[in-house]
Amino acid sequence: MASEETRTTETRTEQSSTERATTTAANARKTAPTRAWATRLVVVGIVLSALNLRPAITSLGALLEEVRDGLGMSGSVAGLLTSVPPLCFAVFGVTAPRLARRFGPSAVVCAGMAAITAGLLIRPYAGSTAGFLAASALTLMGIAVSNVLMPVIVKRWFPDRVGSMTGLYSMALALGTSLAAAVTVPMTAALGGRWQSGLAVWALLAAAAVLPWLPLVRERGAAAQAPMAAAGEQPQKAPLRITRSRTAWALAVFFGLQATAAYITMGWMAQIFRDSGVPAGTAGLLLAVTMVMGVPLAFVIPRVATRLPHQGPIVLVLGVCGLSGYAGLYFAPAGGAWAWAVLLGVSNCAFPLALTMVGMRARTGPGVAQLSAFAQSTGYLISIPGPLLVGVLYQQSGGWGLPIALMAGLMLPQMAVGFLAGRDRIVEDEATAR
């Protein structure tokens, strides 16, 4: 009798296990199409968001003279305006991890794209310098939180494709940067010649970037963790004291120095060529070549980086290209102008490399969020004085010798800290609170 009851119990247990397995398999089959659909939306969202992370800045640069005249903006205020982006990136980027924990990364990026759209629509018609600056700050706030959370979303949804997805994101970012710089002026002319229209039209691209994220806004909590769980990622058990990590500091300084070089290049390289006798139109094309170099290389470099145990050699190669470009600008700026533009364009691809290392130097999604916020916020703070200092040296010395020497000098510590940041280290192992 007892043996029959035991067999009956075992049979029921087996049936229950079988039913649970069948139910789990059925749920997995139902979830798979949904997950695949959501993944495709994330890819579209990443590309469209990346396209919108720089046009607000480079389109303004193309029309800065017209904006100054239209608003009666002084030269000092215009100089302040060019320093606002890294300051906003540093200040607002710090808030991104906290917002992501509360609302989910997808919802925060969606809100960031909406903020960019609103700021781009408002600022051309604000009617005053103060209003223009306030609307610009709104736009830059959206860019800042999206900057920080893009590596987090890549790590969460594509943990086994960090290199290729970071490359796709970086390539789209470089494309948006160069596209806005190249077409804003002719597009303004086509729209009637009013600078307000030339700036506001970029809000259409930002509005398109909101749409893919809307269905993902509810992807919070357990649902948002699903891609991570599927990849076998373990949740972070203890809070990170990110400032204890030497790797985090090395990556932050590397990020800051490469951003310094990039902002100096965008702000001053065309003027260096013009002062050496290169026609203004050609100088603009040379700057465009430097920016466009980031489109293909931003896709290739992250893919190569993720296949190497140490990314230091890539840092050194990019640094040597930068030093060679600066040497050319110093000794023969006009004679080899196209070569120097290409070399500096290659060197500026330290940016996608830095983003890739953010995803590789942390084990968990929250770890990537903290590292990304720390590295980018600290890095952008470091980058603020660079372009201003170059302008001061140029004005005081009356030439480009000292500014170019400064640029080359900053490349050496960039190579050193980048080599350290490229070591196979995990910030959770260095910075977990005990």
Side-chain angles (χ1 to χ4, degrees):
M1 190 73 173
S3 62
E4 290 178 0
E5 291 178 354
T6 302
R7 284 196 297 274
T8 301
T9 301
E10 291 175 349
T11 300
R12 289 175 178 171
T13 301
E14 290 173 359
Q15 289 175 345
S16 178
S17 300
T18 303
E19 289 172 358
R20 284 196 299 268
T22 302
T23 302
T24 301
N27 289 338
R29 285 194 296 272
K30 292 177 182 178
T31 304
T34 303
R35 181 58 54 192
W37 173 77
T39 301
R40 286 193 287 270
L41 267 184
V42 171
V43 173
V44 174
I46 287 173
V47 172
L48 285 176
S49 298
L51 285 171
N52 281 281
L53 294 182
R54 293 299 179 271
I57 301 169
T58 51
S59 63
L60 176 59
L63 295 173
L64 185 57
E65 185 174 345
E66 289 80 1
V67 173
R68 286 181 59 188
D69 293 340
L71 295 177
M73 192 181 295
S74 67
S76 58
V77 173
L80 174 64
L81 191 60
T82 61
S83 301
V84 164
L87 178 61
C88 288
F89 293 164
V91 172
F92 296 124
V94 177
T95 66
R98 183 178 301 175
L99 293 172
R101 285 194 298 271
R102 182 170 181 179
F103 301 106
S106 298
V108 177
V109 172
C110 183
M113 293 298 112
I116 295 171
T117 304
L120 289 176
L121 278 176
I122 293 170
R123 74 175 183 177
Y125 305 105
S128 67
T129 299
F132 191 93
L133 288 171
S136 295
L138 176 62
T139 298
L140 294 168
M141 178 176 63
I143 296 174
V145 295
S146 302
N147 270 338
V148 171
L149 292 180
M150 278 296 146
V152 178
I153 289 174
V154 168
K155 182 76 169 182
R156 172 168 288 179
W157 286 86
F158 309 97
D160 55 342
R161 287 183 286 163
V162 170
S164 60
M165 291 307 300
T166 301
L168 181 64
Y169 154 70
S170 302
M171 184 173 68
L173 190 150
L175 180 61
T177 304
S178 55
L179 186 66
V183 307
T184 295
V185 172
M187 189 163 55
T188 301
L191 292 171
R194 299 181 72 247
W195 62 266
Q196 290 90 342
S197 301
L199 292 182
V201 71
W202 291 102
L204 297 175
L205 183 61
V210 175
L211 301 178
W213 298 108
L214 290 175
L216 300 167
V217 166
R218 290 180 295 177
E219 291 277 325
R220 293 162 57 179
Q225 300 295 329
M228 298 165 58
E233 182 178 320
Q234 296 299 317
Q236 185 175 302
K237 296 181 180 179
L240 295 182
R241 295 182 181 175
I242 200 73
T243 54
R244 288 185 173 183
S245 170
R246 295 181 179 179
T247 299
W249 277 108
L251 191 51
V253 177
F254 175 64
F255 195 97
L257 291 175
Q258 67 80 27
T260 300
Y263 279 106
I264 290 174
T265 299
M266 285 189 287
W268 293 108
M269 195 181 80
Q271 191 64 47
I272 294 175
F273 285 128
R274 291 182 67 176
D275 287 352
S276 68
V278 175
T282 304
L285 286 176
L286 288 166
L287 179 58
V289 166
T290 300
M291 298 294 103
V292 167
M293 288 300 299
V295 177
L297 290 178
F299 186 71
V300 173
I301 289 176
R303 292 172 64 90
V304 174
T306 54
R307 297 174 183 175
L308 297 176
H310 193 319
Q311 291 73 48
I314 303 178
V315 172
L316 297 182
V317 170
L318 297 181
V320 168
C321 288
L323 290 173
S324 301
Y326 292 139
L329 287 180
Y330 187 89
F331 291 108
W338 295 101
W340 317 143
V342 169
L343 286 169
L344 291 173
V346 173
S347 179
N348 280 347
C349 288
F351 175 71
L353 177 61
L355 290 179
T356 305
M357 289 196 288
V358 167
M360 297 178 68
R361 298 285 90 90
R363 185 178 293 113
T364 64
V368 173
Q370 282 189 258
L371 178 59
S372 181
F374 176 74
Q376 294 199 43
S377 296
T378 305
Y380 282 123
L381 281 176
I382 291 171
S383 72
I384 292 172
L388 297 176
L389 184 57
V390 166
V392 170
L393 290 176
Y394 172 61
Q395 185 173 354
Q396 295 297 321
S397 65
W400 287 106
L402 281 178
I404 292 173
L406 173 66
M407 299 177 211
L410 291 175
M411 186 59 67
L412 298 176
Q414 177 180 323
M415 294 165 68
V417 294
F419 191 87
L420 293 175
R423 296 177 300 171
D424 189 11
R425 301 286 191 274
I426 299 297
V427 295
E428 284 91 344
D429 297 337
E430 299 176 343
T432 301
R434 292 182 176 83

